[in-house]
Amino acid sequence: MKVLIIEDDPLHRSYLNEAIRAALPECDGVLEAENGNTGERLARDCKSAHIVMDLQMSQRNGIEAARTIWKERPETRILFWSNYSDEAYVRGVSRIVPVGAVYGYVLKSASDDRLKLALRSIFIESQCVIDREVRGMQQRSLGNVNGFTEAEYEILIDIALGLTDRAIAQRRNLSVRSVQNRLQQLYIKLGVHQPLGNQDDDGRFNLRARAVAVAFLRKLLNHSALERAETDLTAWLARQPHG
Amino acid sequence: MKVLIIEDDPLHRSYLNEAIRAALPECDGVLEAENGNTGERLARDCKSAHIVMDLQMSQRNGIEAARTIWKERPETRILFWSNYSDEAYVRGVSRIVPVGAVYGYVLKSASDDRLKLALRSIFIESQCVIDREVRGMQQRSLGNVNGFTEAEYEILIDIALGLTDRAIAQRRNLSVRSVQNRLQQLYIKLGVHQPLGNQDDDGRFNLRARAVAVAFLRKLLNHSALERAETDLTAWLARQPHG
DNA sequence: CGGGACCTTGCGGGATCCCGCAGAAAAAAT
DNA sequence: ATTTTTTCTGCGGGATCCCGCAAGGTCCCG
């Protein structure tokens, strides 16, 4: 059994290396990659089916790397080892995990033992391991309670990218009015909606821009999510009939 | 001489600790704090005038911590040790550094030697040390060439927060039209401006929202900058005469 | 089958945004 | 001190956004 580490921080990389050797005596080789690109290549070349990776790397996003890796070999087992449990990350991961795949998500703030336990659970026992904190976020997010629908999240991304109502309608195959409906819904859920009678601070906020701001502050959006969305958008723009 | 470390990652903390002891034999005590809050308190209590800190911590932003520390004791020497050289960070730092203060900014990706050299330069030689990469960004940013004026940066933040033109005018003591002028200027510099005759992709983008998006993508803005701006905003809102 | 909950769509209007035009004021250059 | 450049400001209009209202449409449940 070989394990591939994809992580851009050298300290964390060597720490991981040590933890893997300690937790998995049956492991007979640890490979290291310092960004998503070489990570993908190594995964492809070495056919390693066991990966530990960081989200948030400078060269190529962890989520993108994971997506292509899983696209090529869906049975690959991936443990995401991340600093944060931003909703944007969690949502991004659960969006790309293939059905029936074995994976994990543990925070870097977790203890030694938790990490080693997760390594054994995923790579040996074939069991998913999601950190308590992450799981809580996931439940809250995907459950209806105060969580965001896929449609709402989608339109949030669209306005974060700076698209107009018309462009969104075009992209999502909706009428302009429907787009606006979803926007209103989003504004309400984000707590941005202006209560009408209120003359005090009425008109202080541009709802569209404000929605994006609070989404960022709540970590519903983050840089890598925006980056992914941007590449998706340019791809879509490219295959649009100009005009 | 005592040195205070403010850094939330345990691995990096212990690495720093070791580096400090190796590079500064005259150092007779290293304190550690794992977030900005306890860092500020320790700095105040122990009167330590030598600090190494990370930007980007979960509890309290490094820049905010540095601001309050420098406000109390401007002669404190701070070495910022960060993962990234986002323009948002660099700008945030150079905005709060007191005149004549000794400080440094080195990236975590720098070599052992560079870090140790920086430690000696700042704490012993009283000499500022800015990483090459960071310095390059700083020059490009503060110089006129493709850089952003303070006014432009200010209004960028205002629209990123979701304020309306009117609110911005009120806040910055300008007429609405002037705000719009600055916005146009910003749109042009961000490369967001719609060339008029272009019917192809005309109307695809909401300039205001798009500007924020590209600012984020270019790392002109990031989460912590937005967070700081938000607290500033709420403070301003609180002392506004409602109505 | 009928009723209810939900989503979609069109219409219309008020508010806001984007911006060209042009004069006034301020700052910088000569 | 005068010219030049930049910035600020008001006016006005077209485009966009925000949203109430109302007429379908789909899906589920009794």
Side-chain angles (χ1 to χ4, degrees):
Chain A
M1 180 170 96
K2 275 187 292 213
V3 177
L4 169 60
I5 297 174
I6 309 177
E7 157 76 70
D8 60 350
D9 186 322
L11 260 56
H12 288 175
R13 213 159 47 224
S14 69
Y15 169 75
L16 257 189
N17 197 320
E18 212 167 312
I20 288 171
R21 290 184 191 283
L24 301 170
E26 50 273 83
C27 163
D28 60 352
V30 179
L31 297 168
E32 298 188 358
E34 67 180 2
N35 64 54
N37 286 317
T38 67
E40 283 176 29
R41 196 164 40 73
L42 275 181
R44 186 162 32 237
D45 292 355
C46 308
K47 303 195 196 310
S48 67
H50 307 84
I51 300 179
V52 182
M53 74 159 75
D54 190 5
L55 307 171
Q56 172 174 302
M57 288 173 294
S58 49
Q59 285 296 339
R60 181 167 167 78
N61 197 321
I63 289 184
E64 300 187 31
R67 179 158 51 177
T68 71
I69 290 173
W70 262 332
K71 192 167 293 178
E72 296 177 6
R73 319 173 79 245
E75 75 281 10
T76 308
R77 299 182 184 179
I78 303 182
L79 170 57
F80 296 100
W81 192 54
S82 169
N83 270 112
Y84 309 103
S85 61
D86 293 7
E87 176 157 354
Y89 282 137
V90 176
R91 194 177 275 272
V93 167
S94 47
R95 183 195 290 278
I96 62 165
V97 48
V99 287
V102 177
Y103 80 105
Y105 193 134
V106 325
L107 296 177
K108 287 190 180 178
S109 58
S111 67
D112 251 41
D113 291 341
R114 271 247 286 293
L115 173 59
K116 289 174 182 166
L117 199 66
L119 286 169
R120 288 205 70 80
S121 298
I122 294 168
F123 293 151
I124 308 291
E125 316 284 348
S126 306
Q127 197 173 347
C128 289
V129 173
I130 316 290
D131 233 351
R132 163 176 248 82
E133 194 176 337
V134 177
R135 167 67 71 185
M137 226 282 311
Q138 202 173 17
Q139 300 279 336
R140 237 178 303 121
S141 161
L142 300 181
N144 274 345
V145 186
N146 211 338
F148 287 69
T149 313
E150 205 54 30
E152 287 160 357
Y153 188 70
E154 202 170 56
I155 207 169
L156 169 61
I157 285 189
D158 284 338
I159 62 172
L161 285 171
L163 293 174
T164 60
D165 293 3
R166 188 148 40 92
I168 299 175
Q170 209 168 322
R171 187 178 186 197
R172 306 300 182 186
N173 289 316
L174 290 172
S175 77
V176 175
R177 189 58 181 92
S178 295
V179 171
Q180 294 174 335
N181 273 339
R182 294 190 176 183
L183 281 175
Q184 276 185 80
Q185 206 170 328
L186 180 72
Y187 298 152
I188 292 173
K189 275 210 182 172
L190 282 172
V192 167
H193 182 69
Q194 314 259 19
L196 267 173
N198 193 351
Q199 285 299 352
D200 283 3
D201 52 35
D202 196 19
R204 278 206 198 291
F205 288 119
N206 173 327
L207 294 192
R208 176 175 289 245
R210 184 61 180 165
V212 176
V214 318
F216 258 104
L217 289 171
R218 289 196 196 171
K219 304 190 173 181
L220 234 156
L221 248 52
N222 62 16
H223 181 82
S224 78
L226 196 63
E227 229 170 17
R228 264 177 295 139
E230 175 77 9
T231 69
D232 287 357
L233 172 63
T234 57
W236 178 79
L237 283 177
R239 71 169 176 281
Q240 275 315 95
H242 294 288
Chain B
M1 179 171 98
K2 272 186 295 215
V3 178
L4 169 60
I5 297 173
I6 310 179
E7 158 74 68
D8 60 349
D9 187 320
L11 260 57
H12 289 174
R13 212 158 50 221
S14 69
Y15 170 75
L16 257 189
N17 196 321
E18 212 166 311
I20 289 171
R21 291 184 190 282
L24 301 170
E26 51 272 83
C27 163
D28 60 352
V30 178
L31 297 168
E32 298 189 357
E34 66 179 5
N35 64 55
N37 286 317
T38 67
E40 284 177 29
R41 195 163 42 71
L42 275 181
R44 186 160 36 234
D45 293 355
C46 308
K47 300 195 197 313
S48 67
H50 307 82
I51 299 179
V52 183
M53 74 160 76
D54 188 7
L55 307 169
Q56 171 174 297
M57 289 173 293
S58 49
Q59 285 295 338
R60 181 168 167 78
N61 197 321
I63 289 184
E64 300 186 31
R67 178 157 55 177
T68 72
I69 289 172
W70 263 331
K71 191 167 294 175
E72 295 176 7
R73 320 173 77 244
E75 75 281 8
T76 307
R77 298 181 186 181
I78 303 182
L79 170 57
F80 297 99
W81 192 55
S82 169
N83 270 111
Y84 309 102
S85 61
D86 294 6
E87 175 157 356
Y89 281 138
V90 176
R91 194 176 275 271
V93 167
S94 48
R95 182 195 292 277
I96 61 166
V97 48
V99 287
V102 176
Y103 80 105
Y105 193 133
V106 324
L107 296 178
K108 287 189 179 178
S109 58
S111 68
D112 250 41
D113 291 341
R114 271 247 287 293
L115 173 59
K116 287 174 183 166
L117 199 66
L119 286 169
R120 287 205 72 79
S121 298
I122 295 169
F123 293 151
I124 308 291
E125 316 283 349
S126 305
Q127 198 173 349
C128 287
V129 174
I130 315 289
D131 232 351
R132 166 176 246 81
E133 193 177 340
V134 178
R135 167 67 73 186
M137 226 282 311
Q138 201 172 17
Q139 300 278 338
R140 236 176 306 122
S141 162
L142 300 181
N144 275 343
V145 186
N146 211 336
F148 287 70
T149 313
E150 206 54 30
E152 289 160 356
Y153 189 70
E154 203 170 54
I155 206 170
L156 169 61
I157 284 189
D158 283 340
I159 61 171
L161 286 170
L163 293 174
T164 61
D165 292 3
R166 186 148 40 93
I168 299 174
Q170 208 168 322
R171 187 179 186 194
R172 306 297 183 188
N173 290 317
L174 290 172
S175 76
V176 175
R177 191 57 182 91
S178 296
V179 171
Q180 294 174 334
N181 273 341
R182 294 191 175 183
L183 280 175
Q184 275 184 79
Q185 207 170 327
L186 180 71
Y187 298 153
I188 292 172
K189 276 211 184 171
L190 282 172
V192 167
H193 182 69
Q194 314 260 17
L196 267 173
N198 192 350
Q199 285 299 351
D200 281 4
D201 53 37
D202 194 19
R204 281 207 195 290
F205 287 120
N206 173 326
L207 295 192
R208 174 174 290 243
R210 184 60 181 167
V212 176
V214 317
F216 258 103
L217 289 171
R218 289 197 196 172
K219 302 191 175 181
L220 237 157
L221 248 51
N222 62 16
H223 181 81
S224 78
L226 197 62
E227 228 170 17
R228 264 177 294 139
E230 174 76 11
T231 69
D232 288 356
L233 172 63
T234 57
W236 178 78
L237 283 177
R239 71 172 178 279
Q240 275 313 95
H242 294 288

